[in-house]
Amino acid sequence: MQFGYFDDEQREYVITRPDTPLPWINYLGCEGFFGIISNTAGGYSFYKDARLRRLTRYRYNNAPLDTGGRYIYLRDDDAGSPNFWSPTWQPTRTPLQGYQCRHGMGYTTIQSTFSGIKAETRYFIPLGANLEIWQLTLANQRPEAVNLSVFATVEFCLWDAMDDATNFQRNYSVGEVEVVDGVIYHKTEYRERRDHFSFFTCSERLAGFDTDREAFLGAYRGWDSPAAVERGALSNSIAHGWQPIGAQHVRLHLEAGEQRSMVFLLGYHENPLDSKFDPPGSQTINKRSLTPIIQRYLQPTEVKSSFDQLHGYWLELLEKFQVHTPDVHTDRMVNTWNVCQLMAAFNFSRSASYFESGIGRGMGFRDSNQDLLGFVHLLPAQARSRILDLAATQLPTGGAYHQYQPLTRRGNNEVGSGFNDDPLWLVLSVAAYIKETGDWGILDEPVVYDNTPGTEEILYEHLERSMQYTLDRLGPHGLPLIGRADWNDCLNLNCFSTSPGQSFQTTTNKDGKVAESVFIAGLYILAARSMIQIASMIAREKSARVYSQAIDQMEQAVGEAGWDGAWFRRAYDDFGEPVGSITCSEGQIFIEPQGICVMAGLGLADGKARQALDSVAERLATPHGIQLHQPGYSHYYLNLGEISSYPPGYKENGSVFCHTNPWIMIAEAMLGNGAMAHDYYLNINPSMREQISEVHRCEPYVYAQMIAGREAPTYGEAKNSWLTGAAAWNYVAITQWILGIRPEFDGLLLDPCIPPEWDGFSVERIFRGKLLHICVHNPQHVSRGVTAVEVDGLKIEGNLVICEPAGDEHQVDVWLGK
Ligand code: BGC
Ligand code: NOJ
């Protein structure tokens, strides 16, 4: 069952009924000002940091679902009894005709018709501005004229979303607003240390406003039936503490057939500390620098041109990689939606979505480095500065803060460090960046440790410390110690927590000299292979040799203690007992080491890689994707930690974690198995799953973190959409390994591994400033094996395209065969 469809031409997902199984959202904004918007206009806005600078309130976990948003009400002022509705369905949920929500790249448009009044609202954030535009167009389709009232509303958040949701004793007294010339200013705490405020305004003359929530709603009423809307008039209330809101009222006369547009702006503004007030010494906001911005964006021509600019920005991004294959689900995700999700993950890491509250988690070190693997070709300059930001939070030990706050860019002390895989991901992201751009100069950038001035070392040294961190922490089998956790945050082998509510990630009761991770061993080898290439390139031959030796040792350790007979083991616990072994009663086989070890090249020569992947196919693969492990843990294991806190089939306890599936796709592609790789790809491809939306329940245009596994009562149900490493890794798997267009340090490697029935495919790829038209021909219907490559009609040696030849555009033909 579907709740909408893909409009591939427009690059939009069109939702055709408002009551989707869960709110289906989109992200607005690409720079500093951001918003989350659902298909019924729910969601919230923030400046840079969803926790520290939140503009509007949102109530997670509430009923009705999706409470808080950018709500517009329309009221028929000619109707005998009060007749009002929400043209975006929420919050009144009046049945609408022709409801349609179009989520596009950086914008959302919601339209509907009710009793002959057609309404369309387009929400977007212009490039270069800290505000969002709600462009409302109303059309009177009745045979007679109508008098309408339009009410546009937001509920302000008192900036720090955590404090806003908890510190009521203070917050009920601090709220302040100002209303001047039809602009509502929210200025809570501006009187003291804040240099910022928000504003809400409109292109039309206001018939009235409200800024006090209960004055607008009426006591004990909800957003579904505001008394002021029912009455048809606002009371020009000024909030003193309590809950400041912005509500604007516009009256409108529309002739039969007439159409009118208006614009609402919700924005954020900062003033220099020494000129906050106007006149100086007063408590009135200085509006001098803001007023021209407001005037500018209220102009219809400016609204149009900033929308066109945003559209152009996205098209340019998408042009970096466009593919045409025989499979619509592949094309749609690669060409549009996977990129859209990559952008969200890059911007928000795991901080703000409908599943991530925006309060708890800043930018993840492991997460953001992995996100870069897919993102780097889109905006290399931004990827570069993200890498340097991440490296600046690294600790002198080579370890890493697990998270940092985007606003302060400082490591988050509450969560701390000790996730022993973290530092290695920095090596992978830097390697990916250099492979994409050829910018070796990044290695010479001076970067501090732990944000401490005076500790600068070049980025290359950070990478060396990352690598050394693993070698400094080896366990009894010569495998890396796991610390608090590795990729699997919930495999907490040193925690032994018995207190309810204790955080499994930050409470470490053992000093951890025994529990080891086979996963980190694989990751280390994968990273070390890049380090050898990097070190050789910059004439650090000695380091390159050290890494080669370290790989040999690590391989030996994995060979001796990491192989279980038919697959790679997962770990050793604090008692030195294996995890992910046939000898375990539960959790016998895990996906992570099978993926990472094969990706690191282990078992390729002796058949163990194939055997491991066959075990995955036999024991972990389901029609809904590949599970994390099997069997799921049926009860709580003190020595395993959070993994066993979830019921079997959910989250880290054996769900299909979409992040890890691409590792198996890549591994299968490395072994030349294109059909299998693409099959795994399709099983979790959101577009492919669109047809079972009633089971999947999350958005059909982006990956969710997890799909409930076979042991779960709700098998096949997705959760935690949008902010997941699944975006980057699926993108890497499909574009670099299945389609096989893979940046390497010295050029672009063409090594497709596709389903044999494909006749071929074509790709437009911008690589190091050159546009390549790549056409892959598969006349003999093989999966893999390049027999010839021609660049501009001339045969080249091998399958690595070095973009040396002059010219900005090249035709590249690739022939596969036996
Ligand atoms: C989640 C993980 C997350 C961890 C740390 C766990 O409950 O399942 O996905 O990484 O918490 O916040
Ligand atoms: C989500 C976390 O953000 C990520 O860092 C982790 O690897 C996975 N969960 C698995 O635990």
Side-chain angles (χ1 to χ4, degrees):
M1 178 181 177
Q2 296 186 197
F3 294 80
Y5 61 91
F6 286 91
D7 182 340
D8 292 320
E9 191 84 0
Q10 302 293 328
R11 299 181 189 274
E12 291 174 333
Y13 191 80
V14 187
I15 301 166
T16 49
R17 46 187 286 187
D19 56 340
T20 46
L22 293 164
W24 285 1
I25 69 162
N26 195 12
Y27 285 85
L28 309 176
C30 324
E31 296 159 332
F33 190 90
F34 297 105
I36 300 180
I37 184 163
S38 74
N39 56 310
T40 59
Y44 60 93
S45 307
F46 57 97
Y47 176 71
K48 285 194 179 163
D49 190 313
R51 169 171 175 178
L52 299 175
R53 289 289 153 86
R54 197 175 295 199
L55 267 81
T56 56
R57 281 201 179 128
Y58 185 78
R59 292 177 183 79
Y60 286 87
N61 204 3
N62 214 327
L65 214 55
D66 200 15
T67 304
R70 301 166 181 84
Y71 292 145
I72 291 175
Y73 304 83
L74 299 178
R75 182 179 191 278
D76 183 342
D77 290 339
D78 298 331
S81 54
N83 189 9
F84 64 90
W85 70 99
S86 303
T88 59
W89 195 57
Q90 284 265 54
T92 67
R93 294 189 298 284
T94 313
L96 302 168
Q97 293 101 45
Y99 162 89
Q100 213 179 63
C101 167
R102 290 181 167 262
H103 285 317
M105 301 298 104
Y107 67 91
T108 287
T109 308
I110 306 176
Q111 70 171 51
S112 64
T113 303
F114 180 77
S115 96
I117 308 299
K118 183 168 181 217
E120 182 185 289
T121 319
R122 182 196 268 168
Y123 300 89
F124 72 99
I125 295 173
L127 294 168
N130 290 324
L131 54 84
E132 61 188 49
I133 295 178
W134 313 359
Q135 188 182 19
L136 172 67
T137 305
L138 294 169
N140 178 12
Q141 298 178 334
R142 296 181 187 177
E144 70 279 336
V146 66
N147 290 300
L148 289 177
S149 277
V150 180
F151 301 91
T153 63
V154 291
E155 182 171 348
F156 293 113
C157 179
L158 306 187
W159 303 116
D160 181 333
M162 181 67 170
D163 188 75
D164 181 74
T166 48
N167 194 11
F168 309 118
Q169 60 80 26
R170 178 174 200 269
N171 293 341
Y172 286 174
S173 295
V174 295
E176 283 192 301
V177 297
E178 233 176 81
V179 184
V180 180
D181 296 336
V183 183
I184 295 172
Y185 299 89
H186 172 232
K187 60 169 190 177
T188 299
E189 292 183 345
Y190 189 70
R191 61 187 295 117
E192 28 120 350
R193 291 154 296 176
R194 291 191 185 275
D195 62 355
H196 45 271
F197 58 90
S198 65
F199 57 92
F200 187 42
T201 187
C202 154
S203 57
E204 310 303 298
R205 204 177 62 81
L206 294 189
F209 63 86
D210 267 317
T211 63
D212 178 81
R213 190 182 70 190
E214 303 330 302
F216 175 73
L217 295 181
Y220 295 96
R221 288 187 178 226
W223 289 94
D224 56 340
S225 60
V229 174
E230 203 172 280
R231 195 169 64 228
L234 304 188
S235 59
N236 296 352
S237 60
I238 295 291
H240 303 287
W242 298 110
Q243 328 279 1
I245 63 161
Q248 311 182 54
H249 179 194
V250 175
R251 285 193 209 278
L252 200 68
H253 176 85
L254 287 181
E255 295 297 337
E258 193 185 345
Q259 174 169 314
R260 281 268 288 281
S261 274
M262 63 186 76
V263 168
F264 297 93
L265 302 181
L266 170 70
Y268 170 90
H269 195 69
E270 286 176 2
N271 272 336
L273 282 177
D274 57 1
S275 52
K276 278 169 63 169
F277 302 105
D278 184 22
S282 76
Q283 288 291 299
T284 315
I285 295 175
N286 180 349
K287 306 171 182 78
R288 284 166 208 259
S289 56
L290 173 62
T291 306
I293 299 175
I294 292 183
Q295 278 163 355
R296 174 175 167 194
Y297 287 102
L298 287 177
Q299 301 301 320
T301 49
E302 189 64 36
V303 172
K304 182 175 178 326
S305 67
S306 47
F307 182 77
D308 292 345
Q309 207 191 350
L310 178 70
H311 196 62
Y313 170 85
W314 268 100
L315 288 184
E316 210 176 296
L317 278 182
L318 298 175
E319 273 166 13
K320 304 268 168 90
F321 196 120
Q322 288 292 300
V323 69
H324 315 277
T325 73
D327 176 53
V328 62
H329 306 293
T330 302
D331 290 6
R332 179 178 278 164
M333 289 309 294
V334 170
N335 294 342
T336 305
W337 289 100
N338 204 162
V339 178
C340 183
Q341 187 174 5
L342 280 169
M343 182 62 105
F346 175 78
N347 284 329
F348 312 113
S349 192
R350 307 295 172 266
S351 67
S353 75
Y354 265 31
F355 297 90
E356 303 284 5
S357 66
I359 293 175
R361 300 213 265 165
M363 311 293 282
F365 190 90
R366 171 202 294 141
D367 295 325
S368 290
N369 278 302
Q370 284 174 88
D371 294 342
L372 286 169
L373 304 179
F375 178 85
V376 64
H377 69 298
L378 297 173
L379 291 167
Q382 270 156 266
R384 189 182 207 270
S385 48
R386 174 62 49 79
I387 286 173
L388 298 177
D389 281 354
L390 286 160
T393 66
Q394 191 178 20
L395 298 162
T397 57
Y401 279 107
H402 198 49
Q403 291 162 11
Y404 74 91
Q405 278 311 117
L407 197 68
T408 61
R409 290 190 281 168
R410 296 194 76 89
N412 180 333
N413 274 317
E414 282 160 46
V415 184
S417 63
F419 297 74
N420 284 351
D421 64 316
D422 270 340
L424 294 171
W425 296 109
L426 180 67
V427 177
L428 263 59
S429 69
V430 172
Y433 171 80
I434 298 174
K435 288 176 179 178
E436 178 63 35
T437 59
D439 170 17
W440 291 89
I442 193 173
L443 295 173
D444 296 325
E445 286 288 341
V447 186
V448 291
Y449 290 96
D450 194 9
N451 278 290
T452 311
T455 59
E456 287 82 356
E457 267 187 358
I458 58 169
L459 181 65
Y460 177 78
E461 300 295 345
H462 281 254
L463 303 187
E464 291 244 328
R465 289 199 194 197
S466 292
M467 299 299 292
Q468 192 55 39
Y469 180 88
T470 305
L471 297 186
D472 288 346
R473 288 165 184 74
L474 297 178
H477 299 93
L479 295 167
L481 293 175
I482 196 167
R484 289 184 175 166
D486 60 18
W487 175 87
N488 191 327
D489 271 325
C490 300
L491 190 61
N492 313 119
L493 304 180
N494 293 302
C495 188
F496 289 77
S497 174
T498 52
S499 308
Q502 219 168 34
S503 154
F504 289 95
Q505 278 79 36
T506 55
T507 307
T508 305
N509 294 328
K510 298 272 169 178
D511 74 351
K513 297 284 190 303
V514 179
E516 299 167 295
S517 163
V518 177
F519 176 82
I520 300 181
L523 182 62
Y524 178 87
I525 295 171
L526 187 63
R529 294 202 196 284
S530 281
M531 282 305 280
I532 292 176
Q533 286 176 279
I534 292 174
S536 313
M537 185 68 189
I538 61 168
R540 302 251 191 160
E541 293 304 341
K542 195 166 149 241
S543 296
R545 278 197 302 279
V546 171
Y547 291 121
S548 289
Q549 284 158 11
I551 288 177
D552 290 345
Q553 273 163 24
M554 200 66 89
E555 272 189 355
Q556 200 184 336
V558 173
E560 281 163 13
W563 182 251
D564 198 59
W567 56 79
F568 293 98
R569 290 184 173 171
R570 179 65 178 83
Y572 282 89
D573 69 11
D574 186 56
F575 305 104
E577 296 295 330
V579 178
S581 160
I582 193 74
T583 61
C584 304
S585 60
E586 301 188 316
Q588 294 179 330
I589 169 171
F590 281 68
I591 191 174
E592 301 100 304
Q594 322 315 324
I596 206 83
C597 290
V598 178
M599 282 162 69
L602 298 183
L604 294 182
D606 59 10
K608 283 182 178 157
R610 186 64 265 156
Q611 214 183 340
L613 296 182
D614 287 344
S615 299
V616 168
E618 192 185 310
R619 290 171 175 257
L620 296 176
T622 81
H624 290 291
I626 311 167
Q627 299 190 176
L628 269 182
H629 61 259
Q630 174 282 331
Y633 296 109
S634 61
H635 63 270
Y636 179 54
Y637 291 82
L638 198 59
N639 58 322
L640 300 182
E642 185 168 2
I643 195 168
S644 58
S645 73
Y646 293 110
Y650 292 103
K651 291 281 286 179
E652 277 85 345
N653 191 7
S655 76
V656 171
F657 228 82
C658 294
H659 183 143
T660 56
N661 281 228
W663 299 342
I664 303 299
M665 298 168 203
I666 294 171
E668 286 290 1
M670 286 174 69
L671 269 62
N673 209 342
M676 194 89 162
H678 195 255
D679 234 35
Y680 284 142
Y681 173 73
L682 282 184
N683 283 343
I684 62 164
N685 179 300
S687 157
M688 180 76 180
R689 296 176 63 78
E690 183 194 23
Q691 55 199 293
I692 52 161
S693 286
E694 80 287 5
V695 177
H696 185 79
R697 301 187 78 230
C698 277
E699 294 91 332
Y701 40 90
V702 289
Y703 290 93
Q705 181 196 59
M706 60 148 275
I707 298 171
R710 201 173 254 150
E711 291 152 289
T714 59
Y715 178 37
E717 177 193 37
K719 277 187 196 143
N720 300 8
S721 56
W722 280 95
L723 300 184
T724 152
W729 276 110
N730 277 283
Y731 191 81
V732 168
I734 186 71
T735 60
Q736 299 190 12
W737 294 91
I738 298 176
L739 301 174
I741 317 284
R742 189 155 70 247
E744 291 290 353
F745 287 110
D746 38 15
L748 191 63
L749 190 73
L750 306 171
D751 188 16
C753 183
I754 55 177
E757 65 273 15
W758 285 13
D759 290 329
F761 64 92
S762 66
V763 165
E764 276 97 57
R765 170 71 153 99
I766 296 179
F767 181 66
R768 300 193 191 172
K770 296 192 190 291
L771 172 59
L772 306 178
H773 302 275
I774 304 169
C775 195
V776 175
H777 313 268
N778 189 19
Q780 296 170 27
H781 290 274
V782 298
S783 260
R784 186 177 179 200
V786 172
T787 53
V789 179
E790 282 181 8
V791 178
D792 298 327
L794 298 176
K795 200 162 183 309
I796 63 162
E797 276 299 309
N799 56 347
L800 185 77
V801 176
I802 303 164
C803 285
E804 284 306 314
D808 291 336
E809 227 174 299
H810 299 283
Q811 174 67 36
V812 181
D813 285 281
V814 181
W815 281 271
L816 303 182
K818 288 177 192 133

